[in-house]
Amino acid sequence: MTKQYLIDYTLQLADNALILAQRNSEWCGHGPVLEQDIAISNISLDLIGQARNFYQYAATLIGGNATEDSLAYLRDAIDFKNNLISEILNGDWAQTVLRQFLVSTYQFYLYDALQKSPDQQLAAIAEKALKEVTYHVRWSSEWVIRLGDGTSESKQRIEKALEEIWPYTGELFIPVQHETDAVTAGIGVDPKMIEENWKQKVSTVFSEATLTLPPQNIWMHTGGKNGIHTEYLGYILAEMQFMQRAYPSAEW
Amino acid sequence: MSNTEWPLWEVFIRSKQGLDHKHAGSLHAADAQMAIENARDVYTRRMEGVSIWVVESKYIHASNPTEAGELYDPANDKAYRHPTFYNLPDEVKHM
């Protein structure tokens, strides 16, 4: 009998990647320039690849008829465990790249620690994903610096983005029950352990971008990891899951 | 943001087996670092390369096609410049 916390923990990793991938894919065909359109779509594809690996593992843990597809396309919003930051709107390019930077930096330290997990599947997926995420951090941090230390308009846009997104960063580091259980079992990564590194990296990039870190202890949104989502997730799932819902078991 | 505000760059990619960088295409980017990353995303996503060069297109100087006659035609009747008219001594190996 597989422990429920391990299934939930794996699904959380998968959902974080899939929902952000789905969000970023909205830029496909709409990027500010062709080259960046391809860049953000590449990041989406990397994230979908990570999500698939985690879903496949979760499906074997769950057993029965569960597959990566049933987990991605046949669960409802309340079953999704992604952080809220993955599902909030893309906004403009500044908001998209800033969110990517904050999430990729989180994923970087998370995967870096997870690759030492005694759970060999999770460790292997994390190790493979880390290279991709390393590039995502590089790409997104350069955009944050470009916009922050750019023109007065780009600065104003990324400052507005920061105001919008920052209240969703706290959730990353507030453990929920299945995370705590996974940490206690020695398998998961304690989010508190990576918070310092994350803050350090963020403030380094922000200082190069001439951005000010928001004040400590501002109110943070939570709930995503427990299935309590913003109104946006429903719309994402409606679009993402439409085909499987309308034509069950359709393949191509 | 308009495409034309960013300068054009020429991209050269060295493949795993190749020794030399080959021209892969061109793209727009704000500076050299972005050009390399754009090249990575546009031209190496199907495992085409292990090394990237970029150069701003304005720094590439090209020969003029209308001067092709004087530049290249004189070589047409100088087959003796190909090293195929020499008898190689048997002692010389690896030629």
Side-chain angles (χ1 to χ4, degrees):
Chain A
M1 180 69 191
T2 308
K3 300 280 192 292
Q4 187 60 37
Y5 69 80
L6 182 56
I7 295 172
D8 291 345
Y9 188 78
T10 308
L11 284 175
Q12 180 182 317
L13 293 164
D15 293 342
N16 271 327
L18 180 68
I19 297 302
L20 185 54
Q22 181 69 15
R23 265 287 179 241
N24 284 341
S25 75
E26 290 170 25
W27 279 105
C28 189
H30 301 274
V33 295
L34 175 77
E35 292 82 355
Q36 297 301 329
D37 192 301
I38 298 175
I40 192 87
S41 302
N42 281 349
I43 290 177
S44 269
L45 290 171
D46 287 347
L47 291 172
I48 289 173
Q50 294 168 19
R52 286 193 61 190
N53 289 330
F54 287 124
Y55 282 135
Q56 284 164 3
Y57 180 44
T60 63
L61 294 174
I62 294 167
N65 296 327
T67 66
E68 53 175 322
D69 286 329
S70 73
L71 293 173
Y73 296 117
L74 298 176
R75 285 181 307 145
D76 208 345
I78 196 159
D79 306 315
F80 273 76
K81 300 179 198 320
N82 58 283
N83 296 300
L84 300 176
I85 196 171
S86 296
E87 73 199 43
I88 56 175
L89 296 172
N90 280 338
D92 59 8
W93 187 250
Q95 198 163 317
T96 297
V97 296
L98 180 64
R99 182 243 306 266
Q100 193 62 51
F101 167 64
L102 297 171
V103 173
S104 292
T105 305
Y106 162 77
Q107 282 183 323
F108 177 86
Y109 292 113
L110 175 63
Y111 292 162
D112 186 44
L114 193 61
Q115 62 179 344
K116 292 160 206 133
S117 169
D119 185 303
Q120 292 187 350
Q121 279 297 320
L122 290 181
I125 299 169
E127 189 185 349
K128 181 165 183 288
L130 192 59
K131 275 186 191 170
E132 296 170 345
V133 171
T134 303
Y135 184 75
H136 303 166
V137 171
R138 170 178 160 168
W139 177 88
S140 57
S141 59
E142 278 169 22
W143 265 111
V144 170
I145 293 164
R146 253 173 229 290
L147 296 180
D149 194 19
T151 65
S152 62
E153 171 160 9
S154 71
K155 172 90 172 210
Q156 175 245 320
R157 280 179 182 241
I158 198 138
E159 279 177 341
K160 185 173 159 285
L162 184 56
E163 213 171 291
E164 198 74 34
I165 297 172
W166 192 258
Y168 293 94
T169 56
E171 184 185 21
L172 303 174
F173 306 107
I174 302 170
V176 294
Q177 194 58 50
H178 59 254
E179 278 180 302
T180 309
D181 291 346
V183 171
T184 310
I187 289 171
V189 176
D190 185 352
K192 288 279 165 213
M193 298 294 286
I194 56 179
E195 187 175 13
E196 258 331 290
N197 285 333
W198 181 86
K199 276 196 175 142
Q200 191 62 46
K201 172 74 180 175
V202 169
S203 54
T204 307
V205 169
F206 275 17
S207 93
E208 208 177 328
T210 69
L211 289 171
T212 316
L213 264 183
Q216 297 263 353
N217 303 326
I218 65 167
W219 185 77
M220 292 288 178
H221 298 269
T222 56
K225 299 183 203 180
N226 283 326
I228 302 160
H229 291 277
T230 66
E231 62 185 301
Y232 304 122
L233 184 65
Y235 291 98
I236 296 176
L237 297 185
E239 186 171 298
M240 188 177 79
Q241 299 182 335
F242 170 79
M243 287 296 282
Q244 271 307 313
R245 302 281 192 189
Y247 304 96
S249 307
E251 285 181 24
W252 71 342
Chain B
M1 209 184 300
S2 156
N3 237 348
T4 53
E5 286 170 20
W6 286 350
L8 191 66
W9 299 74
E10 300 300 321
V11 178
F12 301 84
I13 306 277
R14 183 161 73 78
S15 67
K16 222 168 235 160
Q17 290 83 18
L19 296 172
D20 49 351
H21 288 69
K22 289 206 167 66
H23 187 232
S26 52
L27 47 74
H28 291 95
D31 56 30
Q33 185 161 10
M34 191 196 279
I36 287 179
E37 287 171 17
N38 285 352
R40 180 261 190 195
D41 281 322
V42 176
Y43 293 113
T44 69
R45 58 203 296 269
R46 299 184 185 89
M47 305 190 297
E48 292 93 336
V50 292
S51 170
I52 297 171
W53 287 351
V54 293
V55 59
E56 240 188 288
S57 306
K58 69 179 181 189
Y59 293 118
I60 297 211
H61 300 269
S63 62
N64 189 340
T66 62
E67 294 167 352
E70 66 210 63
L71 288 178
Y72 313 117
D73 287 354
N76 282 352
D77 58 354
K78 306 203 170 47
Y80 52 82
R81 288 179 182 166
H82 293 279
T84 48
F85 294 92
Y86 303 95
N87 291 323
L88 279 183
D90 290 338
E91 296 75 37
V92 179
K93 291 182 177 112
H94 308 303
M95 279 291 283

